[in-house]
Amino acid sequence: MEFRKALGSFATGVTIITTRTADGHPVGLTANSFNSVSLDPPLVLWSLANNSGSFDAFKQARHWAVHILGADQEELSGRFARRGEDKFAGLEVGNGQGDVPLLKGCAAHFECRTVSQYQGGDHLIFIGEVLDFSRDEAAPLVFHGGKYAHATRRDPPTQKPRSAHLAGSFGEDFLGYLLGRSHFRFFSQIRPFLQREQLDDMEFYVLSTLTLKPLLSDDQIAEGMAGVLDERRQRALDGLVERGFAQRSDGGYALTPNGREAALHLIAEAKAIESQVLERLGDADAAILKTILNRLLGVVDPNAANVLWQQNGSV
Amino acid sequence: MEFRKALGSFATGVTIITTRTADGHPVGLTANSFNSVSLDPPLVLWSLANNSGSFDAFKQARHWAVHILGADQEELSGRFARRGEDKFAGLEVGNGQGDVPLLKGCAAHFECRTVSQYQGGDHLIFIGEVLDFSRDEAAPLVFHGGKYAHATRRDPPTQKPRSAHLAGSFGEDFLGYLLGRSHFRFFSQIRPFLQREQLDDMEFYVLSTLTLKPLLSDDQIAEGMAGVLDERRQRALDGLVERGFAQRSDGGYALTPNGREAALHLIAEAKAIESQVLERLGDADAAILKTILNRLLGVVDPNAANVLWQQNGSV
């Protein structure tokens, strides 16, 4: 329906709102109709469809709690959005004002006492006074256009990219510069480990490509190397064969046991560096970066090495 | 104040709400207290501080319009958030139901008739029936934690990264793989232009680094090359000197007129490719990608070539 779609243009956070029925059962649902109302007194609001299964429980409740979900709580959001399920099963639940069930690990929570209920068409609007609340620094779970979204802080518009001396040259925000510099700087942290094994960059690219499949044809290696130049790739392959890290078979190239060992050792070091870098970048931005690099690869590399990767598991 | 900060954990879109005073003056303000209420009848709500300069205008208005802002409207949001200014100056403004001023270029808009006003502490809550609305596909402007944010759709959690055949090797979402592949695939679209000039990758990196300053020392070139290996860099520099694209002076290296011309020509081609790629990625994701790659560079490359770029303008 068009009206619903238009409303979806307004991005929101995602909340889980909980209460307890008169006979003591915990009740909860996912809602994005939350918003703040007043600072003094502290009031918030949300609205609930008249035909919701939890309608009576909330209508009669004197207390309820709003939990604002963090970026890592999409699964919890889905659980509380479905009907029927025992939503609280297996969750660690605390007790708030009015014995309201409190969920752990949220970006913020507000414990409220109902001060007004207003009928608003097919929904009931709840206004609550905030009796207690908490907040945690966390990236938010966001909902927009009927789908979950990531959000990341914008840089202030004053922070303009710098430019080259030569007019007409690149600016600092040229994508090729950002990608190249990110790649080479990240890779330069891995390089000391390669040098210990006396491998150069290209040999390492080939070595790690050879971990993708038990046996790779020339074409597959070329595909795996993502457009890196031919002659240097061949030289690197020859180098790996000479070192006893790879061997040429009928159908193509394969790692030797020594090559496998060297590859796994180096890849473990590289993964450790990745962890450090991503930790400093932050989980939320790390997830967004990977999401968008994958979309970028969908643009610049539509085949995305489909022939090389396996869908599930590993041997 | 802690309560305000906790409320800020809930991400929202950003709206501008407009009306017209009894004597015909357009009034507007930025608000993020908007939310939907009811589908049938179509109702929305928002709330306004009792001490707002526009309080009387909205309290007396029978009609108002909500404009949901898109990712490219941060400036408009700022304009309508400030007091005093003639907010509508220079804007193209339409006329909605009840002669309400309508702004152009928004992600969605709702023309409303006030059906209820409820006092909610230090704010007044407006409930409006939606008489007309429109929607445009647009990335949203988002507000979170007191700051503007970007949002981008999440990929469904079922879309798991693929893995290598060799257990313990990289997965498809290893950052080094994503960065390397993005860099090399993007660069492979530029390479045909280099080949026409008989330049290899490394020579092009050096050539474009030389556009950054009139004269670059060896150290500056090394810094500009972001950790790319020494010997190959030196070979590329020597190659450019041989070709008459660069010359060695007392303090370092500089482009020759021929080198400048070749660099600008190639950079123009590279920028055209960037435009095509970013257009296919979409403006919103393009902005987010650049933002986060810059943050990544802050982690892996804290100096970020500060010695090379100039802050403003170009010569």
Side-chain angles (χ1 to χ4, degrees):
Chain A
M1 170 186 168
E2 269 309 303
F3 179 57
R4 192 196 290 268
K5 271 195 189 166
L7 292 171
S9 302
F10 185 73
T12 64
V14 180
T15 72
I16 290 175
I17 304 182
T18 57
T19 191
R20 203 175 286 277
T21 59
D23 55 356
H25 288 292
V27 174
L29 49 77
T30 302
N32 68 340
S33 59
F34 172 80
N35 220 319
S36 58
V37 176
S38 166
L39 291 176
D40 182 20
L43 302 179
V44 298
L45 65 73
W46 64 289
S47 52
L48 177 62
N50 297 338
N51 64 4
S52 158
S54 313
F55 185 82
D56 290 337
F58 279 104
K59 189 171 167 124
Q60 281 151 30
R62 294 182 52 198
H63 294 88
W64 35 270
V66 178
H67 305 80
I68 297 181
L69 300 190
D72 58 348
Q73 294 182 298
E74 180 176 336
E75 203 176 287
L76 197 67
S77 169
R79 177 201 281 228
F80 277 84
R82 285 188 292 272
R83 285 181 184 233
E85 213 166 313
D86 179 3
K87 297 171 175 178
F88 292 88
L91 295 183
E92 197 194 339
V93 174
N95 261 311
Q97 306 259 359
D99 202 28
V100 167
L102 298 183
L103 306 176
K104 310 283 184 183
C106 299
H109 97 282
F110 301 92
E111 297 172 43
C112 303
R113 177 181 71 81
T114 301
V115 294
S116 318
Q117 297 178 351
Y118 298 120
Q119 196 62 49
D122 56 23
H123 280 59
L124 188 65
I125 302 165
F126 294 84
I127 316 263
E129 181 187 8
V130 177
L131 306 176
D132 201 358
F133 67 93
S134 72
R135 181 180 75 94
D136 209 357
E137 288 293 342
L141 185 61
V142 172
F143 200 68
H144 176 257
K147 294 199 170 70
Y148 292 107
H150 294 285
T152 188
R153 173 177 52 81
R154 284 175 177 234
D155 290 322
T158 50
Q159 209 171 305
K160 289 266 178 271
R162 297 172 292 184
S163 56
H165 161 78
L166 184 62
S169 181
F170 296 120
E172 198 186 13
D173 74 333
F174 175 66
L175 182 65
Y177 173 79
L178 290 172
L179 285 175
R181 195 162 182 94
S182 298
H183 162 68
F184 286 117
R185 277 296 179 197
F186 181 80
F187 200 82
S188 71
Q189 303 198 8
I190 298 176
R191 195 170 293 127
F193 299 101
L194 308 188
Q195 285 169 341
R196 205 180 294 165
E197 298 274 356
Q198 294 177 293
L199 291 170
D200 67 22
D201 295 17
M202 189 64 67
E203 287 167 333
F204 178 67
Y205 300 155
V206 175
L207 189 72
S208 47
T209 300
L210 288 173
T211 68
L212 297 183
K213 271 183 171 325
L215 185 72
L216 279 98
S217 67
D218 289 313
D219 283 355
Q220 287 175 326
I221 294 173
E223 174 60 33
M225 300 288 293
V228 176
L229 287 176
D230 288 334
E231 323 84 67
R232 292 186 50 217
R233 187 171 67 230
Q234 191 54 51
R235 223 182 302 138
L237 258 170
D238 295 344
L240 291 176
V241 171
E242 234 165 75
R243 295 278 307 275
F245 283 171
Q247 57 196 20
R248 174 141 198 109
S249 312
D250 263 5
Y253 289 87
L255 289 175
T256 63
N258 276 350
R260 266 201 294 280
E261 197 187 333
L264 287 179
H265 175 71
L266 292 171
I267 286 168
E269 305 280 11
K271 284 179 173 175
I273 287 165
E274 182 198 31
S275 297
Q276 289 164 24
V277 167
L278 293 184
E279 193 184 322
R280 291 185 56 197
L281 187 62
D283 284 348
D285 277 0
I288 299 174
L289 178 59
K290 289 185 170 187
T291 296
I292 299 188
L293 284 176
N294 266 311
R295 282 183 203 150
L296 178 69
L297 283 171
V299 171
V300 295
D301 185 15
N303 295 320
N306 282 329
V307 292
L308 292 177
W309 294 96
Q310 50 185 18
Q311 212 60 46
N312 290 306
S314 52
V315 177
Chain B
M1 169 185 166
E2 269 309 303
F3 179 56
R4 191 196 290 268
K5 271 195 188 165
L7 291 172
S9 302
F10 185 74
T12 64
V14 180
T15 73
I16 291 175
I17 304 182
T18 57
T19 191
R20 203 175 287 276
T21 60
D23 55 356
H25 288 291
V27 174
L29 49 77
T30 302
N32 68 340
S33 60
F34 172 80
N35 220 319
S36 58
V37 176
S38 167
L39 291 175
D40 182 20
L43 302 179
V44 297
L45 65 73
W46 64 289
S47 52
L48 177 63
N50 297 338
N51 64 3
S52 158
S54 312
F55 186 81
D56 290 338
F58 279 104
K59 187 169 168 124
Q60 281 151 31
R62 294 182 51 199
H63 294 88
W64 35 269
V66 179
H67 305 80
I68 297 181
L69 300 190
D72 58 349
Q73 294 182 298
E74 180 176 336
E75 203 177 287
L76 197 67
S77 169
R79 177 201 283 228
F80 276 84
R82 284 187 292 272
R83 286 182 184 231
E85 214 166 312
D86 179 3
K87 297 172 175 178
F88 292 88
L91 295 183
E92 197 193 339
V93 174
N95 261 311
Q97 305 259 358
D99 201 28
V100 167
L102 298 183
L103 306 176
K104 310 283 185 184
C106 299
H109 97 281
F110 302 92
E111 297 171 43
C112 303
R113 176 181 71 81
T114 300
V115 293
S116 319
Q117 297 177 351
Y118 298 119
Q119 196 62 49
D122 56 23
H123 280 59
L124 188 65
I125 302 165
F126 293 84
I127 316 265
E129 181 186 8
V130 177
L131 306 175
D132 201 358
F133 67 92
S134 72
R135 181 180 75 94
D136 209 359
E137 288 292 343
L141 185 60
V142 172
F143 200 68
H144 176 257
K147 295 199 170 69
Y148 292 107
H150 294 285
T152 187
R153 173 177 51 80
R154 283 175 178 234
D155 290 322
T158 50
Q159 210 171 304
K160 289 266 178 271
R162 298 173 291 184
S163 56
H165 161 78
L166 183 62
S169 181
F170 296 120
E172 198 186 13
D173 74 333
F174 176 66
L175 182 65
Y177 173 79
L178 290 172
L179 285 175
R181 195 163 183 94
S182 298
H183 162 68
F184 286 117
R185 276 296 179 198
F186 181 80
F187 200 82
S188 72
Q189 302 198 8
I190 298 175
R191 195 170 293 127
F193 299 101
L194 307 188
Q195 286 169 340
R196 205 179 294 164
E197 298 274 357
Q198 293 177 292
L199 290 170
D200 66 22
D201 295 17
M202 189 63 68
E203 287 167 333
F204 178 67
Y205 300 156
V206 175
L207 189 72
S208 46
T209 300
L210 287 173
T211 68
L212 297 183
K213 272 184 170 326
L215 185 72
L216 279 98
S217 67
D218 289 314
D219 282 355
Q220 287 175 326
I221 294 173
E223 174 60 33
M225 299 288 293
V228 175
L229 287 176
D230 288 334
E231 323 84 67
R232 292 185 51 216
R233 187 171 68 229
Q234 190 54 51
R235 223 182 302 138
L237 258 170
D238 295 344
L240 291 176
V241 171
E242 234 165 77
R243 294 277 308 275
F245 283 171
Q247 57 196 20
R248 173 140 199 111
S249 312
D250 263 4
Y253 289 87
L255 289 175
T256 63
N258 276 350
R260 266 200 294 280
E261 198 187 333
L264 287 179
H265 175 71
L266 291 171
I267 286 168
E269 305 280 12
K271 284 180 173 174
I273 287 165
E274 182 198 31
S275 298
Q276 289 164 25
V277 167
L278 293 184
E279 193 184 322
R280 291 185 57 199
L281 187 62
D283 285 348
D285 277 359
I288 299 174
L289 178 59
K290 288 184 171 188
T291 296
I292 300 189
L293 284 176
N294 267 310
R295 283 182 203 151
L296 178 69
L297 283 171
V299 172
V300 295
D301 185 14
N303 295 319
N306 282 329
V307 292
L308 292 176
W309 294 96
Q310 50 184 18
Q311 211 60 47
N312 290 306
S314 52
V315 177

